[in-house]
Every structure is written in C-alpha cells, then in structure tokens.
Amino acid sequence: QVQLVESGGGLVQPGGSLRLSCAASGFSFSFTAMGWFRQAPGKLRERIAHIGNTGMPTQYAGSVKGRFTISRDNAKNTVYLQMNSLRPDDTAVYYCNKATATRDDYWGQGTQVTVSS
C-alpha cells in the first residue's frame, strides 16, 4: 500500500527558506522517478520539480527554477525539496508523489507552506 508523508512546511517570511521532506513506502522507491507538486488556493495542482530514480535528471517548473532544489535519499526512501528565496506566490499545499502521478492516484495529506510578512 502506497504511503506518502510530507513534512517541513510552515509560515515563512518572503525571502526565507524551507526544506520539505517526503517519506515514501509501499512501492519500489529506488526505481521510481519522483516529483514535488503544489496546489495554491483556487488553482489546479501542478508539478514543480521532478527527479529521476538515481537522482538524475532533475527538472523544474519555470516559476521555481533557480530557487528550489529537489533531491532524494534512496536508502531512506525520502525525497526532499529545498526552497530558497520564497515568495508570497509560493504559498500552497505541497505534495510529493511518483513523477507520473495523476489526480486519480493516491495522494498524501501534503504540507502547507505560507509565505507572508
């Protein structure tokens, strides 16, 4: 049974940083490309970062490129998202999932990130 547990969100001021973590289980994590997604209020969920099963390649949405870094530790079945230079429009619920996940797949509870002064 797939389980995804995101953590590390919170309230941060503009320009600040957060590091999100996602513990995965129930599937062959080390053979699976992973992604970070986010859903802002009133908007559709979007994929913002992708990482191959070995840690490469990585890809980013234009809105986060140069500010966010995705990484993974296959020994810990965990994927991370380092978020720097946060902006108010980064406010959203952040989710991790398989890179190919659709809205019909299982999703964890997500972690709320709020960027506000």
Side-chain angles (χ1 to χ4, degrees):
Q1 182 178 357
V2 174
Q3 280 201 320
L4 300 162
V5 181
E6 299 92 346
S7 61
L11 174 63
V12 63
Q13 292 187 342
S17 298
L18 284 174
R19 189 192 193 207
L20 307 184
S21 299
C22 171
S25 61
F27 63 99
S28 298
F29 180 82
S30 61
F31 292 97
T32 304
M34 296 294 293
W36 279 98
F37 304 74
R38 70 184 182 187
Q39 186 167 19
K43 294 188 177 181
L44 296 175
R45 185 180 290 151
E46 60 171 340
R47 193 176 78 181
I48 56 169
H50 159 284
I51 187 167
N53 67 302
T54 63
M56 292 293 289
T58 57
Q59 294 177 339
Y60 299 92
S63 57
V64 306
K65 194 171 185 179
R67 300 187 297 123
F68 292 9
T69 302
I70 188 171
S71 61
R72 66 190 294 160
D73 184 339
N74 285 348
K76 296 182 178 179
N77 279 17
T78 300
V79 61
Y80 304 97
L81 187 68
Q82 178 67 43
M83 305 188 297
N84 299 328
S85 302
L86 283 161
R87 310 185 306 216
D89 61 357
D90 293 317
T91 295
V93 180
Y94 284 71
Y95 303 86
C96 74
N97 212 325
K98 301 176 183 180
T100 56
T102 69
R103 63 180 182 181
D104 294 327
D105 289 311
Y106 162 85
W107 291 84
Q109 84 287 351
T111 187
Q112 175 71 48
V113 172
T114 302
V115 185
S116 175
S117 55

